[in-house]
Amino acid sequence: MKLNGRVAYVTGASRGIGSATAQELSRRGATVGLIARNGSDLDEVKSRLSLNSAAAVADVSDRDELNGAIDDLTDAIGPPDILVNNAGIGAYAAMLEESAETFERLMRVNYLGTVYATLAVLPGMAERRRGHIVNVASVAGRLGAPFEAAYSGSKFAVVGLSESLSAEMAPFGVEVSLVNTGPVATGFTDARGVPFQRKIPRPQKPSRIADAVLHAIESGRFEQTIPRWLRLGIVTRAVAPGLYRRGLIRDSAAESAELVQRTEEPAE
Ligand code: NAP
């Protein structure tokens, strides 16, 4: 799909990847509708876009609030040709030390937020026989990340949904894409409370992910992994699962050993 003259809604557009994607869509001639919880951050992003852009405040995990924001954007700039489901949060902890509430919160924001926004725009796209939905997932949605079970689970759900929907909607001319990203230099890991500390993979610029989102829309490509070499892990897991799992256990051995030690410490 060409971008010029299209209407695109972006969730999680107040900063990071969503803000970079909104700016690039606007620069390429799309009219952009922004959604996130922080209204003043949204206004700041909007001030850098074309004049016909719009913003609406909503928590994507609140279906009524999100539907209201999508209605407001539709009134302001028309129904979307493109939806970028990008809003998301992380969490980093061993499941032994994680609460049920964190699992619920991540599913509500990362998975159900994607479901609610998609349900709101899909009937219109089907009727118009045109649309593109891009889901910003994660490499952790293709490869289970140790100490990120809540996050990985929520992103695996997004990957499964995307694969199902891409086949279902093909006869309607509605395309679905996945952008699986590795670490990106945004406030994401700070927001989850545990900064990214590994040397590799090197965090990508948010603009790199925005480019991938635009590429998905323009080329119709179903799936991209960024950086590309992380696909090696996905392929290894598929063709040599035992080898992959041994590597995964080895890779997280030091952190797992610390966890064992913590569980063996006498309770105070
Ligand atoms: P970020 O800088 O923390 O931005 C997250 C965005 O999501 C913000 O605009 C935030 O806005 C919005 N958001 C969070 N919770 C929301 C909610 N309940 N309702 C509505 N909006 C909400 O993170 P990012 O790196 O740009 O992440 C964007 C996407 O990339 C996420 O889906 C994330 O899982 C994925 N990803 C990121 C990384 C990474 O290393 N950064 C790696 C893999 C995948 P408000 O706070 O204003 O609501």
Side-chain angles (χ1 to χ4, degrees):
M1 183 188 284
K2 285 205 174 77
L3 297 167
N4 193 24
R6 302 296 187 199
V7 173
Y9 294 1
V10 182
T11 71
S14 60
R15 55 179 191 271
I17 295 167
S19 153
T21 302
Q23 286 178 62
E24 197 50 27
L25 283 164
S26 177
R27 200 182 67 76
R28 299 281 296 280
T31 300
V32 184
L34 313 167
I35 296 176
R37 291 166 305 173
N38 188 317
S40 53
D41 284 354
L42 281 180
D43 286 342
E44 207 273 313
V45 175
K46 185 169 157 309
S47 71
R48 285 180 264 137
L49 307 183
S50 63
L51 282 176
N52 54 356
S53 60
V57 171
D59 181 334
V60 294
S61 69
D62 182 324
R63 183 154 43 105
D64 291 339
E65 211 174 285
L66 182 59
N67 283 339
I70 288 175
D71 286 346
D72 289 348
L73 290 181
T74 306
D75 289 345
I77 59 175
D81 302 296
I82 297 158
L83 167 68
V84 183
N85 282 310
N86 164 76
I89 52 173
Y92 194 97
M95 190 159 178
L96 269 176
E97 299 173 330
E98 190 58 279
S99 66
E101 285 74 20
T102 300
F103 280 81
E104 289 168 355
R105 189 162 52 88
L106 264 70
M107 280 311 264
R108 277 201 297 268
V109 175
N110 297 350
Y111 178 62
L112 288 177
T114 298
V115 170
Y116 296 155
T118 302
L119 281 174
V121 306
L122 203 58
M125 288 182 173
E127 200 179 309
R128 293 188 295 279
R129 297 288 194 269
R130 187 179 73 215
H132 200 128
I133 296 171
V134 183
N135 294 329
V136 179
S138 171
V139 172
R142 276 289 187 197
L143 304 170
F147 298 88
E148 290 189 85
Y151 182 65
S152 266
S154 70
K155 291 294 185 176
F156 265 71
V158 171
V159 169
L161 168 99
S162 308
E163 213 161 85
S164 302
L165 197 62
S166 68
E168 260 171 54
M169 295 309 290
F172 291 91
V174 176
E175 294 181 287
V176 179
S177 295
L178 261 177
V179 173
N180 304 323
T181 134
V184 187
T186 65
F188 176 80
T189 54
D190 288 341
R192 75 180 180 186
V194 181
F196 181 73
Q197 280 167 333
R198 287 165 171 263
K199 287 212 174 71
I200 51 162
R202 206 157 40 88
Q204 304 286 306
K205 288 186 182 152
S207 59
R208 170 72 190 87
I209 317 305
D211 288 345
V213 171
L214 267 68
H215 178 66
I217 300 162
E218 287 183 315
S219 69
R221 184 157 170 187
F222 174 65
E223 183 166 9
Q224 293 170 83
T225 301
I226 299 152
R228 263 189 236 155
W229 64 265
L230 282 177
R231 268 187 308 184
L232 256 179
I234 299 172
V235 172
T236 309
R237 177 177 176 267
V239 299
L243 179 74
Y244 176 77
R245 245 180 56 74
R246 282 194 293 280
L248 192 64
I249 291 169
R250 200 172 45 237
D251 200 41
S252 53
E255 223 170 330
S256 295
E258 285 172 24
L259 174 66
V260 172
Q261 211 169 28
R262 279 200 300 281
T263 60
E264 285 172 351
E265 276 164 12
E268 293 188 4

